[in-house]
Amino acid sequence: MTTAPLILLIEDDAQTRRFLKTSLSHRGWSTVEADCGKSGLAMLNSEHPDLVILDLGLPDMHGIAVTRRLRQLSDLPILILSARSQEQNKIMALDAGADDYLTKPFGSGELHARLQALMRRVTRSLGNQEIFETGQLRVDLTRRKVFVADNEVRITPIEYRLLGILIRHAGVVVTHRQLLQEVWGAEHIHDQHYLRIYMGQLRHKLEVNPARPRYLLTEVGVGYRMAIDDTE
Ligand code: CA
């Protein structure tokens, strides 16, 4: 990337905006700011940002409505900010098309890790990735083969589909609903036990210690996240 990525901050709290702006500029990212949903949506067209950070608690519009509108207008990565009391809203925003979330309060390390994963996802979807690697896990996406420490692991078609979705979103959370819908179809979006069973099987095959997974991470109450190597 030749120019610094531009991030649109939609957040009504001036203190949080200041914190975001400062920690993002330390990392070489530029920002533009909006203090409500309406002006945020307007800036999407006027500023052409590369990514949006959206607070769910805005004075003029519901965060989920803003998410839906952003999704209608663009494919930009959306990172939502939510308060602990907004657990359900957070999940709804993810299902409405937001890509990942941070729960307030968060530190700049966490913020940066999320943004890196989101930007990487954008870069990855442009190129045609054939091999996914994290730690000892290697997945050949062309031949649909999975290896752990160079040993091939046999996985079932359903396990492979689950794994494939998580890899496509590597580093980014994928909600229970998204996974259930993509693998089993819309009529099964409430069958969370499917996920527990199949993720359990996958962990037994891929993780050194399935009880303390390193690759297939649980986001309690939200979904799963494929870990990525920090060193890149
Ligand atoms: Ca707020």
Side-chain angles (χ1 to χ4, degrees):
M1 220 167 292
T2 46
T3 51
L6 180 65
I7 303 189
L8 169 59
L9 307 175
I10 311 178
E11 161 68 271
D12 58 318
D13 180 52
Q15 206 178 330
T16 308
R17 277 207 313 272
R18 205 154 43 235
F19 165 75
L20 286 167
K21 194 180 169 174
T22 310
S23 61
L24 292 171
S25 75
H26 282 314
R27 308 275 189 167
W29 306 63
S30 311
T31 49
V32 283
E33 303 172 38
D35 61 2
C36 66
K38 280 210 178 77
S39 62
L41 288 168
M43 287 172 95
L44 194 67
N45 284 322
S46 59
E47 304 290 336
H48 305 290
D50 298 295
L51 187 148
V52 180
I53 297 181
L54 168 68
D55 177 41
L56 286 184
L58 293 170
D60 63 332
M61 285 175 78
H62 202 294
I64 294 158
V66 182
T67 306
R68 288 214 178 93
R69 191 71 193 123
L70 283 169
R71 257 307 149 256
Q72 286 167 356
L73 297 170
S74 83
D75 292 326
L76 290 182
I78 305 171
L79 176 67
I80 51 176
L81 306 180
S82 72
R84 293 214 179 275
S85 57
Q86 294 170 320
E87 190 78 5
Q88 201 51 43
N89 284 346
K90 167 175 90 186
I91 297 170
M92 285 170 72
L94 291 167
D95 285 330
D99 296 281
D100 210 339
Y101 69 94
L102 278 172
T103 305
K104 294 176 177 180
F106 52 86
S108 60
E110 213 182 339
L111 169 69
H112 190 65
R114 290 286 182 280
L115 293 177
Q116 289 283 76
L118 286 175
M119 291 309 284
R120 232 181 318 221
R121 199 211 61 181
V122 174
T123 324
R124 224 186 354 249
S125 68
L126 297 176
N128 218 342
Q129 195 203 18
E130 290 171 351
I131 304 278
F132 172 81
E133 270 186 295
T134 182
Q136 303 263 55
L137 174 66
R138 184 159 56 90
V139 181
D140 183 329
L141 299 164
T142 312
R143 296 189 299 149
R144 299 170 74 97
K145 288 183 182 295
V146 181
F147 303 86
V148 175
D150 291 330
N151 301 309
E152 187 173 355
V153 180
R154 299 244 164 236
I155 65 173
T156 68
I158 287 185
E159 290 165 358
Y160 187 84
R161 283 172 75 183
L162 273 174
L163 187 63
I165 297 166
L166 292 168
I167 288 174
R168 208 161 69 231
H169 297 268
V172 174
V173 73
V174 186
T175 64
H176 295 135
R177 188 190 180 102
Q178 284 174 274
L179 288 167
L180 287 163
Q181 182 155 344
E182 276 202 53
V183 177
W184 286 278
E187 64 275 29
H188 291 289
I189 53 170
H190 299 296
D191 293 330
Q192 287 201 21
H193 59 284
Y194 287 11
L195 285 177
R196 278 196 295 278
I197 293 166
Y198 281 92
M199 291 301 290
Q201 288 173 190
L202 264 179
R203 281 176 173 156
H204 273 278
K205 293 180 180 181
L206 306 183
E207 301 280 358
V208 175
N209 180 354
R212 305 190 69 173
R214 282 189 50 205
Y215 311 129
L216 301 167
L217 310 178
T218 295
E219 293 278 326
V220 178
V222 181
Y224 296 92
R225 182 190 303 272
M226 171 63 80
I228 48 177
D229 286 331
D230 297 331
T231 50
E232 233 178 79

